[in-house]
């Protein structure tokens, strides 16, 4: 059985599609990264997103095999995510997992997700599945491991960045792997073909400043992408609620859309309807005059997709998706 550590969670370390994967640990970011890579490899091998089933079992359950059979999961290519509860595996669950291993075939991709690795010797997975799969350790990184992961991510994104800029990123985000990931993606987005230096990194980092929600939205609408990302990063650090950000941004975009469509009406009534503060009325009317209808429609459509992901609890990459949205809104076409 292969073992892939958190610092190695990149496609290059996945040589081929295995019949099963065991995700051990409780770092949500690495759990989602693991699944994303596995799904990508699976898709190349004929598995589609529509073939995904997620099954949650309680420790007292003794129906794993029968549940698989009752759902007729082996009739076509199927990806199954089996969540093992937090507590220690019982002998009964281990027995059922052992029996499940005999059903592994080219039409079944099994992903076992559990955070019990610290309480259970790894060789249990060797015993159950007889060296056919891969263990992926989804655990927090130590300082040296974080440095390795960062270098791997920079290589994966094909970013050209100076060493002192990397050191600053590691210093600021050493305790937040998701935010480090998002920042690297933003650097790639802003400076795709340039050498990124320490000043570029400083431009997207803001730990001390205090920004208001209206200031963030106004910065987005005038097309100041770098500052809008800086403010968003600040919101993230301060743990602001992204549903509030989404609703506020949506409210402003819809108001602009209504103004854009109604050329011969009282714009003040529209702005009042959307509860826009009076001191911003002239600003939004002016934005509506200069923004293209195509830009507004694209922005609202992407915002709706982000909200759908929130409702489906697919929130892992919401902050990064928001930055893509900011990039679109900052454009005028």
């Amino acid at each position: 059985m292969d073992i892939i550590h958190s610092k190695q969670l990149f496609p290059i370390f996945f040589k081929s599609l295995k019949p099963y994967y065991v995700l051990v640990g409780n770092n949500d970011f690495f759990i989602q990264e693991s699944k994303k890579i596995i799904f990508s490899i699976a898709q190349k091998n004929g598995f589609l997103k529509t073939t995904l089933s997620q099954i949650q079992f309680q420790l007292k359950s003794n129906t794993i095999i029968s549940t698989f059979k009752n759902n007729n999961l082996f009739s076509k290519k199927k990806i199954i995510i089996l969540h093992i509860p937090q507590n220690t595996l019982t002998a009964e669950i281990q027995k059922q997992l052992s029996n499940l291993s005999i059903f592994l075939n080219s039409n079944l991709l099994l992903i076992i997700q559990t955070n019990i690795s610290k309480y259970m010797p790894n060789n249990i997975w060797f015993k159950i599945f007889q060296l056919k799969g891969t263990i992926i350790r989804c655990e927090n990184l130590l300082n040296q491991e974080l440095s390795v992961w960062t270098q791997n991510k920079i290589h994966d994104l094909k970013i050209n960045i100076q060493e002192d800029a990397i050191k600053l990123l590691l210093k600021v985000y050493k305790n937040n792997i998701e935010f480090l990931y998002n920042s690297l993606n933003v650097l790639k987005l802003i400076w795709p073909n340039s050498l990124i230096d320490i000043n570029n990194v400083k431009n997207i980092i803001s730990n001390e400043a205090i920004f208001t929600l209206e200031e963030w939205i106004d910065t987005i609408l005038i097309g100041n992408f770098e500052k809008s990302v800086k403010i968003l990063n600040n919101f993230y650090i301060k743990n602001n609620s992204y549903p509030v950000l989404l609703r506020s941004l949506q409210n402003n975009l819809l108001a602009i859309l209504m103004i854009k469509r109604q050329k011969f009406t009282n714009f003040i009534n529209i702005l009042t309807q959307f509860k826009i503060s009076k001191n911003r009325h002239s600003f939004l009317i002016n934005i509506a005059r200069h923004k293209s209808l195509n830009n507004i429609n694209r922005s609202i459509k992407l915002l709706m997709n982000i909200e759908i992901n929130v409702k489906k609890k697919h929130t892992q990459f919401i902050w990064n998706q928001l930055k893509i949205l900011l990039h679109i809104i900052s454009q005028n076409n």
Side-chain angles (χ1 to χ4, degrees):
M1 177 183 291
D2 297 329
I3 298 179
I4 296 177
H5 297 273
S6 300
K7 63 184 179 183
Q8 301 171 310
L9 275 174
F10 299 92
I12 191 174
F13 293 102
F14 289 69
K15 298 178 181 178
S16 61
L17 185 67
K18 297 298 181 65
Y20 76 95
Y21 296 86
V22 182
L23 314 185
V24 291
N26 55 11
N27 186 297
D28 289 336
F29 173 80
F30 288 126
I31 290 171
Q32 296 303 320
E33 279 292 283
S34 300
K35 291 178 182 178
K36 184 171 69 174
I37 295 171
I38 294 169
F39 292 162
S40 177
I41 300 172
Q43 189 171 13
K44 295 176 182 177
N45 286 268
F47 290 86
L48 303 176
K49 291 182 179 180
T50 55
T51 65
L52 173 63
S53 296
Q54 298 202 47
I55 303 173
Q56 178 76 49
F57 286 98
Q58 302 300 322
L59 275 175
K60 62 183 180 180
S61 171
N62 61 358
T63 59
I64 294 178
I65 298 296
S66 61
T67 301
F68 280 14
K69 290 181 177 178
N70 290 340
N71 284 279
N72 194 26
L73 296 177
F74 302 107
S75 61
K76 60 181 180 179
K77 285 185 178 293
K78 181 73 66 172
I79 302 174
I80 304 170
I81 299 180
L82 179 60
H83 296 266
I84 301 297
Q86 177 177 330
N87 300 324
T88 305
L89 282 171
T90 64
E92 177 61 27
I93 293 291
Q94 292 181 42
K95 180 180 178 181
Q96 290 189 69
L97 288 172
S98 298
N99 293 333
L100 181 63
S101 66
I102 66 175
F103 291 97
L104 295 176
N105 60 78
S106 59
N107 288 325
L108 171 64
L109 171 58
L110 175 62
I111 300 173
I112 298 175
Q113 183 179 326
T114 176
N115 60 359
I116 63 174
S117 59
K118 294 183 179 180
Y119 313 103
M120 184 68 60
N122 288 334
N123 64 6
I124 183 174
W125 305 113
F126 287 83
K127 292 177 180 178
I128 291 176
F129 292 105
Q130 302 175 358
L131 310 180
K132 293 180 180 179
T134 295
I135 291 179
I136 303 176
R137 303 193 68 88
C138 303
E139 297 167 340
N140 296 333
L141 296 173
L142 301 176
N143 287 341
Q144 184 57 38
E145 293 175 327
L146 180 60
S147 179
V148 173
W149 179 88
T150 303
Q151 292 291 349
N152 284 332
K153 189 62 187 176
I154 289 170
H155 182 267
D156 185 55
L157 290 173
K158 297 180 174 60
I159 296 175
N160 188 12
I161 183 170
Q162 292 181 345
E163 189 63 32
D164 56 350
I166 297 174
K167 290 180 180 178
L168 178 59
L169 284 170
L170 291 172
K171 179 180 179 181
V172 174
Y173 302 131
K174 62 181 179 181
N175 296 320
N176 195 324
I177 186 67
E178 184 179 352
F179 202 55
L180 176 57
Y181 168 90
N182 287 339
S183 295
L184 288 171
N185 279 282
V186 170
L187 289 170
K188 171 70 173 180
L189 186 63
I190 301 176
W191 298 286
N193 302 309
S194 304
L195 176 62
I196 298 170
D197 59 27
I198 194 168
N199 291 322
N200 297 138
V201 172
K202 287 179 178 179
N203 283 336
I204 68 165
I205 294 174
S206 177
N207 290 322
E208 304 299 331
I210 299 175
F211 300 100
T212 66
L213 191 55
E214 287 187 349
E215 183 179 0
W216 175 61
I217 293 173
D218 291 353
T219 304
I220 298 169
L221 295 176
I222 64 175
N224 191 336
F225 175 65
E226 291 185 24
K227 186 176 180 180
S228 66
V229 169
K230 181 187 291 187
I231 297 174
L232 183 63
N233 287 348
N234 183 268
F235 287 161
Y236 183 92
I237 292 171
K238 297 181 184 303
N239 201 30
N240 286 58
S241 171
Y242 50 76
V244 173
L245 303 182
L246 292 174
R247 284 195 295 271
S248 299
L249 184 54
Q250 181 188 60
N251 194 60
N252 280 258
L253 288 174
L254 289 174
I256 292 171
L257 179 63
M258 292 295 292
I259 293 172
K260 195 76 177 176
R261 288 178 173 175
Q262 303 296 327
K263 296 182 179 180
F264 305 102
T265 189
N266 189 338
F267 297 147
I268 303 302
N269 288 341
I270 294 175
L271 293 167
T272 302
Q273 175 186 344
F274 283 95
K275 298 180 180 180
I276 304 297
S277 58
K278 291 183 179 179
N279 65 319
R280 297 180 65 244
H281 283 189
S282 296
F283 171 75
L284 282 192
I285 292 172
N286 187 54
I287 290 292
R289 287 171 178 162
H290 290 86
K291 281 285 183 184
S292 72
L293 188 59
N294 178 60
N295 179 278
I296 299 170
N297 285 329
R298 286 178 62 205
S299 302
I300 292 174
K301 183 177 180 180
L302 179 54
L303 185 58
M304 290 175 61
N305 289 336
I306 295 174
E307 290 180 328
I308 290 172
N309 286 334
V310 171
K311 291 178 181 179
K312 292 182 177 179
K313 299 183 179 180
H314 298 161
T315 59
Q316 181 67 17
F317 304 110
I318 292 299
W319 294 95
N320 206 39
Q321 291 175 332
L322 270 171
K323 288 168 185 175
I324 295 173
L325 174 62
L326 302 192
H327 184 260
I328 292 175
I329 298 176
S330 67
Q331 301 171 343
N332 288 322
N333 57 342

